[in-house]
Structures are given as structure tokens and as C-alpha cells.
Amino acid sequence: DEVKRRDKHLEFTMPRELSRGLSAVLRIVKDHNIAGMHGPLIELMQVDERFFAAVEAAATNQLFNVVVDSDEVASRIIAYLNKDKAGRVTFLPLNRLHVRTREYPKSDNVFPMVAKMRFEEKFRPAMDKVFGNVLICRSLDVAVEFAGSSSLDCVTMEGDCVSSRGAISGGYQDSGRSRLLNMKTLHETLRARAAIKEESAGVKDKLQAAEQSVTAVLGDIQRVESARRRAQAAAERLKAEAGDCAAAAARAGESLAVKEKAVSAIRISVRDLEAQAADLRTEMSTALDAQLTAGEAAELTELNPRLDRLKQERLAASAARLAAEADLGELRATLEANLERRQHRIKAVTSEVDVAGAEADLARAKAAAATAAAVEAEATTRHAEIAAKLSAASSSVREGKANLERLRAEQDDAKAALAEDEREMESLMGKRATLQTKREGLQRKIRELGSLPSDAFEKYRGKALKALHALLAQTGEQLATLGHVNKKALDQYQQFTEQREALEIRRGELDRAHVKIGELMSHLDHKKDEAIERTFKQVSLNFREVFSRLVPGGKGELVMQRKKPGQEPAAAAAGGGDGTPASSHAARAAPKGTGAEGEGVMQRARRKGKDLPKSEDEEEEQEEEDDDEGDEGEDDTREGGDEDDLEGLVGELLNGEIDDAAAAAGASHSAVEVLRDGFDPVTVEDERAPDACEDGHELAEAGDPEELMQWLIAPVDLRQFMTNIWERRPLYISRNANKEYYDGLLSKANIDELLRSGKMRYSRNVDVTSYKDGVRRTHNTNLDGSGGPDARGDPGVADAESVWQRFDAEGCSMRVLHPQRWRDPLWKMLATLERFWKCSTGCNCYLTPPDSQGFSPHFDDIDAFILQLEGKKVWKVYAPRSEAEMLPRYSSPNFDQHEIGDPVLEVVLEAGDMLYMPRGTLHQASCVPGAHSLHVTLSTNQFNTWADLLELAIPAALRAAVAEVPALRRCPPPDMLDHLGITAQHGEEGEEGSEDGEEGEGGQQSNARRDAFVGVLNELAAAVLRRLPLDSAADQIGKRLMQQRLPPPPSHLAAAAAATGPEAAKRLSHKSVVRLMQEGGARLVVEDEAAVVYHSFSNPREDHMEGGDAEDDAEDEADEATDDTEADEAKHPNATASSAAAAVI
């Protein structure tokens, strides 16, 4: 978008046909693959920015001559241009150009332009063709000298040209339309885009590397997982084998035990058998037959087979025993050789395998795998989104190209028709200019005639020119006979009549002020008497109790001596008839007992009430007490007085500022009193002819605050305005005789120029709204959907065609915020008015189509000056509904019509008219059918009141008093809440003491205790107020003004600075003589024990009123309904909008 915008800016600096031709050349070269075209000269060279003006002045449109390799390439491209009817372009074929040898003058004041340019060597013939015959000179005089002597064209650094043939051209050049500057910016934008693309490619490479890393990590994770599973399986197998071996060992042990028992039994059986065998052998060695009986012989016969059988069994048992022993030996060998060794190895392996560590590694690997999977999923999603967007963009590009080709053809046709219309328009404009010149000459002659009858024009309309000349000659003869008559008598009579009416109005105001002052004096006298009596009652209540405590058994009371009617001052001074003193209070004591202590107290009481001789110390104490009593009386009087009297003090300050006796008399009554008596607007008809009025632009250029303010409200006198109108009543000035009074400040054409500059952003610089059927809608986007906030929330650029389409076709209103940032006349005016009001001053402009609806009634917290520039608008002004809404500090919500009553002023503002509304003025506006409206609202005096000064001073005074007055840091008595509060206040009102002082003591004590608390708090408050840092608070307000105000225009400064920035800091010393470049342009402030100078000379103009436009909802609705809120958007932020430069001394 930035590249397109820069291309658009560059197109604006060249002729339309040339722009079409260059675009066509690029398209032809691309479509037909024509090689050998290098581009226009402006793209093939580089020049320092300080030579931009000189190069552009020397080359003009030759900067866009296209460099090609040969005339053949140029011929091919020209053929396509003729075929497509796509504009004209000048080509520079390198094969036909040659570098000419020239002798340039040897001087420090001139140098060849080609020497200050950078380009490729192959393009030197083309550069020499255009710039070789040009010298750059340091001044116009030098250029004239060398142009005549060297036969070379000369140009200055500022762009003033002197041809070798003698022609001189020059003047102001708008740097914003510099072609080289736009090309430089375009190149920088292209480089930035290339860098972004490179960065994007790097990001893609990093993404691919990250994907590869993720893949590698996933592979490592899989390998680690496989190794972990194998290790775990091996550990499980080893555990199972160890269990099996342990079970086999247990079984083998059990079998061994059984077999060992069997072996033991067998051994026992063998021993028994052997013993039997030994017995048998012994028996066999003896002849038994002889000793045997027949039965025994038979038994022997039976036992012999049994013996054989037992022998066989013994042999079998021996064989089994031997087999069992062999098995036992084999099992023992296996257990010792294999199983026990394997069991030890399994235990060692099991101890080496850290299952917990393996599980921890497994958990970490799983976490890394999850992270990698998330990254992979995100990358996959992003890749899919990018692919989808790329696909959509590709299709959009294809469709856009097709539409572009179609639109280009339509655009070419439209441009051709537009060119024809422009030629016709130029012809008509020439005729119009000629007719306007004639008309102005005739109007000037008419004005020179002075006052004319009302039918002067209609009476002679339609008569022949010859008849008019005859009448003119006859009238001249009649005038010659009246040479001795005062022809300005009528004008003087009207002037004297206006002066008489103004003086009569002034006399009426002075009479009303006299009556008010008399009423105020009577009121103050009454309040003073009441305060004295109230003070006396409060003192007398405590005096009796205190005296009874000081003099046991005594009784004392205070008596007020009033001056009797007819009593002489001397008698009053001497005392009353009974010998009492003339003082306002007397003390009488009658002790019932005696004693040294009572007598001493009695003497002190008597001396206060009698004219007894006093010692010097007692006289000093008496004087201090009398002073304290007088101060208390004054405080009570002031406390009981009407707070509206403060308006008189403020009026006296204003009178001193104006320093005019008549104005002071007019300001003797307060603004609040004027609003109470009637919110009567002032209506003035300015009948001055245009040539009798001063030029406001010249006054703003000169920077005279009083003169510019006087011009703004003319013909009303500035002193009269400040004393009788400002903050008191509306002022309407009609200028039917001079509707061009505010011309040049801003126009519809200027708004169009701002919109087409590409600087205007929705919401920040311009708002487009509609208000239909009671519903307000905002249209801060372009018709194609662009212009909305970007990803960072920054508003989009407003497209001029979209804005005007909504204005003309849809009836939307337009509000341009802070046009002083771009419009120089408004900048100079506001900078001057800020010096007059000594506070930040802003403005907005409102362009409303015909037949648009109005907005609801409301009031603002600023003083508004409505300047009608074009069209008409109906304004209704209402009086404030109550004192609370007079001069408010904050704007109001919207009101219903039945809540505000009838308007005190209803006017139709036309071009040249002005309407002033004080803060708190209820108002509403609507457009006239069939006529659009354009007006500018100047706003000032927001948060610029006494209250704002005290808001800064009182907290600082309280902090200082707390640090210096120990009494403020003490705790109040425990019974404070019993005597202060809403219940205590109402209780006091119901317990007024009787005059004889004999009512209940409880009510007296409660009131006295409450009065004591109030007195202490008043004294503490007085201690705080005595420490008000008014100078410091004023400095803070001045510092805020330096931060918020506009930078001064160059014409307002006394002289250029001798040095600025770090260079000025180096050259500044205690011996330096320093003077301000503008009165009031800096403020000296003491901060952190250092003197700091804040100034507005370096404030950025484009940030004026930025960052703090705190709109209240009601006013914002009204603004966006019709863009006619006069000043709410021009409010001034309390927060710093732009930091003022500061220098620490």
C-alpha cells in the first residue's frame, strides 16, 4: 500500500499524458519481452537532497525521459504506444548519444550539475544530454553572470533558473511535490519492502529449520523411547528370571532337604541292615542246624527266600541312594555354578538400572515431544493459512489483472474525455477571470461612490448604455453644483446614531450596576451586623462560665453598648451615661467572696471593663486581644457575607488588565449577576464595506494578539467585549455586506486537497457520519472496505473518492479534526489567539450536506467562536437553566426539548457571520434545506479557571502546612464526632439561647463546644491558606501551556536563533546575553531545586491537540450526528499532548 501511495504521489507531479505513457511503456516492455529499456532518468541517478530543487528546475519533465539501448528499441515501443493510443514518452537511445566535451568555468561559486550526480557509466551520454549544459550556482546573481559569459544554463540551489539566452525563471517551490523526493521515498519504500521480503524468507527458512529440528527431536525421542522400552523389557525379563531362579532355588532346597532326610533314613536302614547282616553272618558262621528244632528248621527254610529278597532290596536301596547322592551333587553343582552366580548378576543389573531416572527421562522426553508436536501443529496450521491466503491472493490477483486491464481501457477513455473537458474548463475559467476582474473594478467604483439609495441598482437595471452615460454626465453636473455640501453627512449621522445607542445601552447597564451595588452594600451591612451580634453571643456564652470558674462565687457578663440616635462621637468615645466605656464589650464582676486569688482575678476583669491604669505588659496584651477580636469579627463578617462578592474581586482584576475607566465601570457587576438578571444576547450588524476592513491574514501573519482578536469580533470593541460580553452572554455578528470576511481560512476545496494528500486517517483526522431516523451511524471506512483499523489498532487512510461519495450521494456529514496541523492560515490564527487567551486554543471544521438533521440541545465546557465559512446553518441558543450550569467545567449530556424552554436567540449563520457562546450556553443547530454548511469552531478557556489554579495550590499548601504546623498533626478530641456532623448541625439550629442567658446550660455548652471546634478548624484552614504556593501553581499551569500550545510560525519570531540544540548549549555561559524570540514563548519553572525553562518553539505542529481529546458521550453523539458540535472535539487535554522543550539552568 505504501508503494502504491508513493507511486500515486509521483504521478501527481507529472503531466497526465506523460504518466499514462510511462505506465504504458512498462506494460509494453513486460508484455512483449522487449529488452534494452532501462527506465526513466529519475530512476537511474542519485542526487543529494540539497540539489533536488536545482535538478528538478533544470530538467523539468526530462527527468521522465526513458533511456534505451538503441533507436530500434525506442521504435518498437513507440509503435505499440501508437497502436494502443497510450500517451507520449521521450526516449534517449544510447547508441545515438555521445558525451560532448565542454569547458566549465573555474570558480568556487559554480560547478557542473553532472559532477554532483551519481549514475552508472553506461548512462553518461543520456545524463550529459540533459544535464551537461547546466551549472549550479550559489546565488541568482552568480547565475546571471555565468549564464551570460559561459553560454551555459545556470540554476541556483533554490531552483531559480537563468537560461543562456537570457530568460530567468524562479519563485516558490513546494517541497512536498518534489519529484526527486518522492522518488527517493519510493526507493526507500521499495528497499524496505525488499528487506521485509528478505526477512520473510529468513523467517520461512527458520520455520523450515525449526520443522527439521522438530523432526530430528521427534526421531531422537522415538529412539530414546525404543531404548527405554528395550531396557524396561530387559529389566522385566531379568526380574522374571531372578524370580524363577529364586523359586527354583527354593524348590531345590526343599527337594534337597527331603532327599537329605531320605538319605539319612536310608543310611539308618543300611546300618540296621549291616548290623543284621553282621548278626546273620555271625549266626551263619555257627552251625545252627543242629541247634534248630523242627519248627525252627522249617522257619529257616521259609526265611532263606526272604533273606534273598531282602538282599535284593538292599542292593536296590544302595543303588537308589547312590543315584540320589549323584542327583544331589549335580543339583549342588548347578546351584553353585549357575543359579547363584546368575542371581548375583541379576541383582547387580537390577541395582544398576535406575528406574526412577529412566521414568524422569521418559517424562522429559514426553514433554519435549508434546512441545515439538505443538510447534509442529502451529507451524502446520500457519502453513495451511498462508497457503490458503496465497491461493486466495493469487486468484484475486488474476481477477484484479483482468479488471485492471478493463479499467485501464476505461480510464484511458475517461482521461481523454477529461482532458477535453479540462481544455474547455480552462477556456471558461479564462473568461470567468476576465469577467471577475471587470466585476471587481465595477464594484470598487461603486464602493467609492459611498452610501447609495436602496433602489440604486434596480432603478437603472435594463437601461441602455448610452442612456446610462447621459444620466452619468447629468449627475456629474449636479454634483459640481453641490461642491460645498458635506457628502458624508449621512454616514456620519449613522455613525453618531450607533454611538448614541451604544452609550444609552452603557448608561442603562451602569444604572443597573449602581442599583446592584447599593443592594450589595445594604446586604453586606446587614450581614456585618448579624455577624457582630452572633460573635458577641458566642463570646458572652463562654465568658460567664469562664468567669465563674476563674472567680469562685463571682458572676460576670458582657454587655454590648449600642450608639444611641443623636449621640455625638465624642460622647460615644467617652462612654455611656452610666460611666460604662465606649468599647463594644464590657465586663462586670461582682465576687461574693474575698481572698487574694479572687481579688487578683477581679482586678484583671475590672481592668478589661474599666478605664483603670494598666501596666505596659497589660496594655500590650489588651492590644493583641483587641486585634484578635477584630480579626475574628472580620472573619465572621466575611464568612457570613454573600460569596457572590468574590465576583467583584475578579472584576477588579479584569479592570486592571484592561486599564480603562469606562470598561471598569461596565465590569462592576459580576457575570453571575448578569446571567441572573437575563441572558440577553448581543446582536450586531457589521455594515462596513470590505475595503474598510483589515486583513485578518495579515494580522495573523504579524502575530499581534489584540489586533487579531479585535478583527475576529469587529465591529464590537474588544474592551466592551471583555467587560460586558465575555463569559456573560452570546454575541451574534452579521456581515451581510462582507461575506468574504473569513475567506482563506478553509474551504471545501482545501478539504478535498487534504483528503487527496493521503494524510487524513479516519477517527484521528476525519469522521464521516450520518444521522437518519434518530439513529447515528459512523462510516469510517472506504467503499471498498479498506480504511479500517490495522492489526495494531491504527486507523486507516481515508480515500477522497469514498468520502465525497458518502457526502454527495448518501448525505453523510464530515468533521475534520484539528485542521491547523495542515492549514497554515488556521495555524497562524490559533498561535496568535493562544498568546491572547494565555491558554491552549483549538479548532475543528464541520461540513454538512443540505437537508441534514440537527442534533440535540446541550452545552459545552469551552468558550466557542463559530465562524461560518460557506453555506447557511440555523442556530438556536438558550439561557442556562440554573446557576449550577453557568460557566461549567464539564460538558452536558443531551437534553430533551421540553427541558430547556424557549430560545433567547435564533439566527441563520451565513458566510462571514460569527457567533460567540460562553461556557454553559445551551444550543442546537441544523442545516437549511437546499444549502450545505461549512463552519470552523474556535475553542478556548477549557480548564482555565480559578478553580484549576487552586486545585494545584491547595494540596501543596496542605502538605507544607502539615510539615510546618504541629497542630495539624495532632488528633482531634474524642468528642469531635459528637459536635460535628449533620445531626450536630441541626441540633444547633434548634437550641438557640434566649437573650437573658437563663436557658438550660446543656444547650449552651453543646453550642459553645461546637463553636470551639469550628473556630479551631477555621484557624487551621487559615494556616493552610497562608501557605498557598500561588506562584508555583501558576508556573505549573504555564508549563502545561508550553506543552500544549502550537509552535510559533516563523513570522511571529523576532529573529532567527544564533544557535540551537547542542551547539547552543555549548555556547551558552553566565556571560551570554539571551533574549526570547517571542514574548510569552517560554516559562521559567523551579523544579527539584533547578531552574527549568519550558518553551513551545520545538513543539510538533502535527501533534497539536493529540492524545487527550476526552469526548463526553452526549457531545460525541451530537458531533457524529451532523458534525456540528462547535468545540467539543477542539477541547484541550489536561494530559500533555506534546512535550515542550526544556533547558535546565
Side-chain angles (χ1 to χ4, degrees):
D1 292 340
E2 183 68 16
V3 173
K4 293 180 180 179
R5 188 167 66 87
R6 294 300 177 185
D7 280 335
K8 198 71 174 177
H9 285 181
L10 190 60
E11 288 181 5
F12 288 157
T13 62
M14 66 180 77
R16 183 175 288 104
E17 290 297 321
L18 181 57
S19 174
R20 289 182 56 215
L22 287 177
S23 301
V25 167
L26 295 177
R27 176 173 51 81
I28 291 169
V29 170
K30 181 179 180 182
D31 294 344
H32 300 281
N33 296 323
I34 299 177
M37 197 280 292
H38 301 288
L41 281 176
I42 194 173
E43 296 181 0
L44 303 178
M45 66 180 182
Q46 294 182 359
V47 186
D48 292 341
E49 190 170 348
R50 55 197 176 119
F51 300 121
F52 279 1
V55 173
E56 291 185 21
T60 62
N61 291 333
Q62 295 184 79
L63 287 171
F64 301 101
N65 290 354
V66 178
V67 178
V68 295
D69 284 341
S70 63
D71 48 1
E72 180 183 356
V73 175
S75 300
R76 290 183 60 190
I77 297 176
I78 290 174
Y80 284 113
L81 287 175
N82 292 329
K83 179 180 179 182
D84 297 341
K85 298 180 180 179
R88 298 181 62 84
V89 179
T90 301
F91 294 89
L92 298 176
L94 296 177
N95 66 329
R96 301 291 298 274
L97 300 177
H98 303 284
V99 179
R100 295 174 56 188
T101 302
R102 298 181 180 86
E103 292 185 3
Y104 294 107
K106 305 296 183 180
S107 175
D108 295 336
N109 295 324
V110 297
F111 45 85
M113 180 173 288
V114 177
K116 299 301 179 181
M117 303 170 66
R118 299 183 296 277
F119 47 82
E120 294 185 25
E121 189 62 28
K122 64 181 180 180
F123 301 133
R124 181 171 293 278
M127 299 299 173
D128 184 77
K129 169 68 176 176
V130 178
F131 303 105
N133 202 42
V134 182
L135 295 176
I136 297 179
C137 304
R138 300 193 181 276
S139 65
L140 187 60
D141 295 336
V142 176
V144 171
E145 176 186 352
F146 281 92
S149 61
S150 62
S151 299
L152 298 174
D153 295 336
C154 297
V155 62
T156 65
M157 301 280 284
E158 293 77 18
D160 299 329
C161 298
V162 180
S163 172
S164 59
R165 298 178 179 86
I168 301 177
S169 62
Y172 171 73
Q173 290 187 356
D174 187 1
S175 59
R177 298 178 60 86
S178 172
R179 300 168 175 178
L180 291 173
L181 181 60
N182 284 317
M183 178 57 66
K184 178 183 178 182
T185 308
L186 177 61
H187 286 168
E188 292 175 352
T189 305
L190 291 173
R191 286 195 294 270
R193 185 175 69 175
I196 292 174
K197 287 184 177 179
E198 184 179 354
E199 184 179 358
S200 176
V203 171
K204 289 182 180 178
D205 295 340
K206 291 181 180 179
L207 179 61
Q208 293 178 356
E211 291 176 351
Q212 294 175 359
S213 300
V214 169
T215 304
V217 170
L218 291 176
D220 294 340
I221 291 173
Q222 291 177 356
R223 288 192 295 273
V224 170
E225 182 67 18
S226 299
R228 185 193 64 78
R229 287 197 296 268
R230 289 196 298 272
Q232 188 174 7
E236 293 295 334
R237 288 196 302 272
L238 292 176
K239 287 182 180 179
E241 290 179 359
D244 294 340
C245 291
R251 289 193 300 271
E254 292 175 356
S255 177
L256 179 61
V258 172
K259 289 182 179 181
E260 284 180 350
K261 290 180 180 179
V263 169
S264 299
I266 291 172
R267 286 177 180 174
I268 293 172
S269 298
V270 169
R271 285 196 300 270
D272 291 342
L273 291 174
E274 287 178 350
Q276 290 178 5
D279 292 339
L280 289 175
R281 281 194 297 269
T282 302
E283 290 178 358
M284 289 174 64
S285 63
T286 60
L288 298 176
D289 296 339
Q291 298 178 357
L292 296 174
T293 61
E296 291 176 349
E299 184 178 1
L300 177 62
T301 302
E302 293 177 357
L303 290 173
N304 285 330
R306 184 179 179 184
L307 177 62
D308 295 334
R309 191 170 56 254
L310 289 174
K311 287 181 180 179
Q312 291 177 355
E313 291 179 356
R314 182 178 66 81
L315 292 174
S318 298
R321 181 178 65 81
L322 292 175
E325 288 180 352
D327 292 338
L328 178 61
E330 184 180 354
L331 290 174
R332 284 180 178 175
T334 302
L335 179 62
E336 293 176 357
N338 295 329
L339 296 181
E340 289 181 354
R341 186 180 303 167
R342 191 171 184 182
Q343 181 181 10
H344 292 309
R345 187 170 63 253
I346 289 172
K347 288 182 179 180
V349 171
T350 304
S351 62
E352 292 176 357
V353 176
D354 187 1
V355 178
E359 291 177 352
D361 294 339
L362 177 61
R364 286 192 295 271
K366 286 182 177 181
T371 303
V375 172
E376 181 183 13
E378 181 181 0
T380 303
T381 304
R382 188 173 179 184
H383 182 270
E385 293 176 355
I386 293 174
K389 290 181 180 179
L390 181 61
S391 177
S394 300
S395 61
S396 299
V397 168
R398 288 192 296 272
E399 295 176 359
K401 285 183 177 179
N403 293 332
L404 180 61
E405 293 298 330
R406 177 175 54 80
L407 293 175
R408 277 177 176 169
E410 295 177 358
Q411 184 184 18
D412 293 340
D413 297 338
K415 285 182 177 179
L418 182 60
E420 183 66 26
D421 293 340
E422 285 180 351
R423 286 192 295 271
E424 184 178 357
M425 180 62 70
E426 289 176 358
S427 175
L428 293 176
M429 290 297 291
K431 295 179 181 179
R432 180 175 179 270
T434 303
L435 294 176
Q436 281 185 344
T437 303
K438 293 182 179 179
R439 179 188 175 190
E440 290 174 357
L442 294 175
Q443 287 180 346
R444 189 183 310 107
K445 292 180 180 179
I446 292 173
R447 286 195 298 269
E448 291 174 355
L449 296 176
S451 300
L452 298 175
S454 59
D455 60 345
F457 296 98
E458 297 297 334
K459 181 178 179 181
Y460 301 102
R461 189 181 301 277
K463 290 193 175 184
L465 183 61
K466 183 180 295 185
L468 290 176
H469 279 296
L471 288 174
L472 182 61
Q474 182 181 356
T475 304
E477 294 176 357
Q478 293 176 358
L479 286 176
T481 61
L482 300 175
H484 62 283
V485 178
N486 183 7
K487 301 181 182 62
K488 295 186 178 180
L490 180 60
D491 294 337
Q492 294 175 354
Y493 172 76
Q494 292 178 351
Q495 182 179 1
F496 293 151
T497 302
E498 292 175 357
Q499 292 178 358
R500 185 188 65 183
E501 292 175 355
L503 291 174
E504 288 178 352
I505 294 173
R506 183 64 173 277
R507 184 184 63 182
E509 292 177 350
L510 292 176
D511 292 340
R512 290 194 297 271
H514 178 72
V515 174
K516 289 294 182 180
I517 291 173
E519 293 175 357
L520 177 61
M521 292 177 63
S522 301
H523 181 70
L524 292 177
D525 289 339
H526 178 66
K527 289 292 185 179
K528 179 185 68 174
D529 295 339
E530 289 182 353
I532 293 173
E533 291 181 1
R534 183 169 60 253
T535 304
F536 174 75
K537 288 181 180 180
Q538 294 173 356
V539 174
S540 63
L541 289 175
N542 290 330
F543 178 78
R544 182 169 51 197
E545 179 183 357
V546 173
F547 189 82
S548 63
R549 292 181 181 178
L550 294 176
V551 184
K555 182 180 181 181
E557 62 180 5
L558 294 181
V559 178
M560 179 181 293
Q561 295 291 337
R562 297 181 179 273
K563 180 180 178 182
K564 297 180 181 180
Q567 185 178 2
E568 295 297 330
D578 57 354
T580 57
S583 60
S584 60
H585 304 287
R588 293 184 297 190
K592 294 181 179 179
T594 60
E597 182 178 356
E599 182 66 17
V601 175
M602 181 189 69
Q603 292 292 338
R604 287 194 295 271
R606 184 182 296 118
R607 286 176 181 175
K608 287 188 178 181
K610 304 292 184 178
D611 292 334
L612 299 179
K614 305 182 181 68
S615 64
E616 294 180 358
D617 295 336
E618 289 178 342
E619 288 179 354
E620 293 176 359
E621 293 176 0
Q622 179 66 32
E623 290 175 358
E624 293 176 358
E625 291 175 0
D626 292 342
D627 293 339
D628 293 340
E629 290 175 359
D631 293 341
E632 292 174 359
E634 291 175 2
D635 293 340
D636 292 339
T637 302
R638 188 176 298 115
E639 178 183 358
D642 193 348
E643 293 181 355
D644 291 343
D645 300 339
L646 295 175
E647 290 286 329
L649 299 176
V650 177
E652 291 176 6
L653 284 179
L654 181 61
N655 300 340
E657 172 73 15
I658 297 176
D659 193 21
D660 184 85
S668 60
H669 52 287
S670 68
V672 176
E673 290 171 347
V674 171
L675 293 176
R676 287 173 179 169
D677 295 341
F679 195 70
D680 298 330
V682 177
T683 301
V684 177
E685 176 69 26
D686 187 4
E687 298 180 352
R688 298 174 301 162
D691 56 350
C693 302
E694 295 190 54
D695 189 347
H697 297 288
E698 293 180 359
L699 298 176
E701 182 75 18
D704 191 326
E706 285 74 20
E707 291 294 332
L708 181 62
M709 189 64 199
Q710 177 63 77
W711 171 84
L712 187 69
I713 61 173
V716 177
D717 183 73
L718 180 58
R719 291 181 173 83
Q720 291 289 338
F721 174 83
M722 295 301 295
T723 55
N724 296 324
I725 298 175
W726 179 48
E727 293 188 323
R728 298 162 189 247
R729 52 176 59 87
L731 170 65
Y732 164 58
I733 300 177
S734 174
R735 296 192 176 93
N736 293 324
N738 191 1
K739 295 185 178 297
E740 298 82 19
Y741 195 78
Y742 297 123
D743 277 3
L745 291 179
L746 191 68
S747 65
K748 190 176 179 181
N750 298 141
I751 296 176
D752 179 68
E753 183 179 358
L754 287 176
L755 289 172
R756 298 186 186 280
S757 68
K759 300 177 182 177
M760 308 298 286
R761 293 183 176 272
Y762 284 118
S763 300
R764 180 180 299 170
N765 308 122
V766 64
D767 283 328
V768 180
T769 58
S770 64
Y771 194 77
K772 296 180 180 179
D773 301 327
V775 178
R776 186 257 302 167
R777 296 180 176 87
T778 302
H779 308 279
N780 281 352
T781 55
N782 297 322
L783 294 176
D784 58 359
S786 63
D790 57 16
R792 297 180 300 178
D794 293 333
V797 177
D799 176 64
E801 300 299 334
S802 298
V803 174
W804 290 121
Q805 176 69 18
R806 295 190 188 279
F807 179 87
D808 295 328
E810 302 177 13
C812 294
S813 300
M814 191 187 315
R815 171 178 55 187
V816 180
L817 290 81
H818 319 307
Q820 70 273 15
R821 299 176 181 173
W822 305 282
R823 186 69 183 154
D824 287 349
L826 288 174
W827 170 32
K828 297 172 183 177
M829 173 177 284
L830 291 184
T832 306
L833 291 178
E834 282 182 337
R835 295 173 59 195
F836 177 85
W837 292 111
K838 302 299 190 298
C839 68
S840 185
T841 304
C843 78
N844 288 334
C845 102
Y846 305 89
L847 179 60
T848 312
D851 303 321
S852 61
Q853 298 185 30
F855 54 83
S856 300
H858 64 282
F859 62 76
D860 299 314
D861 59 345
I862 47 86
D863 290 335
F865 295 83
I866 314 299
L867 312 182
Q868 189 72 22
L869 305 180
E870 297 177 6
K872 300 179 181 180
K873 177 161 288 189
V874 179
W875 289 83
K876 295 181 181 180
V877 178
Y878 304 83
R881 303 183 303 169
S882 64
E883 273 191 36
E885 293 180 356
M886 298 174 186
L887 304 178
R889 299 188 66 207
Y890 301 98
S891 298
S892 73
N894 290 339
F895 297 107
D896 293 331
Q897 201 68 40
H898 67 274
E899 296 179 292
I900 59 176
D902 297 328
V904 297
L905 178 65
E906 182 173 358
V907 295
V908 177
L909 287 189
E910 299 184 21
D913 294 352
M914 192 277 291
L915 176 63
Y916 162 72
M917 293 186 295
R919 302 188 300 280
T921 301
L922 281 162
H923 59 276
Q924 60 183 145
S926 60
C927 269
V928 176
H932 78 281
S933 172
L934 174 63
H935 76 266
V936 166
T937 297
L938 308 182
S939 62
T940 187
N941 287 324
Q942 186 190 39
F943 300 122
N944 187 39
T945 64
W946 291 107
D948 296 286
L949 178 65
L950 292 177
E951 276 185 349
L952 296 172
I954 291 178
L958 181 59
R959 291 192 295 270
V962 169
E964 298 173 5
V965 180
L968 282 168
R969 302 194 295 272
R970 296 190 61 182
C971 296
D975 62 337
M976 178 194 69
L977 297 179
D978 299 333
H979 302 287
L980 294 178
I982 188 65
T983 56
Q985 179 184 7
H986 287 286
E988 180 190 23
E989 293 175 358
E991 293 179 1
E992 292 292 335
S994 61
E995 293 184 359
D996 56 4
E998 297 298 329
E999 74 280 9
E1001 294 292 329
Q1004 292 183 6
Q1005 293 177 359
S1006 176
N1007 290 341
R1009 187 64 173 163
R1010 175 181 172 83
D1011 294 337
F1013 276 113
V1014 173
V1016 170
L1017 288 174
N1018 286 335
E1019 291 297 327
L1020 294 177
V1024 173
L1025 295 179
R1026 283 193 295 269
R1027 291 166 172 80
L1028 282 177
L1030 298 178
D1031 294 329
S1032 177
D1035 284 340
Q1036 292 305 312
I1037 292 180
K1039 169 186 172 182
R1040 186 178 67 189
L1041 172 60
M1042 292 300 108
Q1043 294 171 335
Q1044 294 176 352
R1045 67 184 296 183
L1046 280 164
S1051 61
H1052 290 192
L1053 301 179
T1060 59
E1063 181 64 25
K1066 294 178 182 178
R1067 298 173 58 177
L1068 191 65
S1069 68
H1070 67 281
K1071 296 182 179 179
S1072 300
V1073 178
V1074 180
R1075 67 183 179 91
L1076 290 178
M1077 298 171 65
Q1078 183 189 59
E1079 182 182 1
R1083 186 80 183 186
L1084 177 63
V1085 181
V1086 176
E1087 293 180 345
D1088 298 330
E1089 298 182 356
V1092 185
V1093 176
Y1094 287 90
H1095 63 83
S1096 60
F1097 301 132
S1098 301
N1099 284 357
R1101 172 185 171 188
E1102 60 274 13
D1103 292 340
H1104 187 238
M1105 312 304 298
E1106 184 72 21
D1109 294 345
E1111 309 173 14
D1112 65 290
D1113 297 337
E1115 187 71 24
D1116 185 64
E1117 289 183 4
D1119 287 348
E1120 297 188 4
T1122 61
D1123 286 338
D1124 288 320
T1125 42
E1126 318 49 17
D1128 188 58
E1129 274 299 331
K1131 293 177 182 177
H1132 322 311
N1134 275 332
T1136 301
S1138 60
S1139 299
V1144 181
I1145 301 177

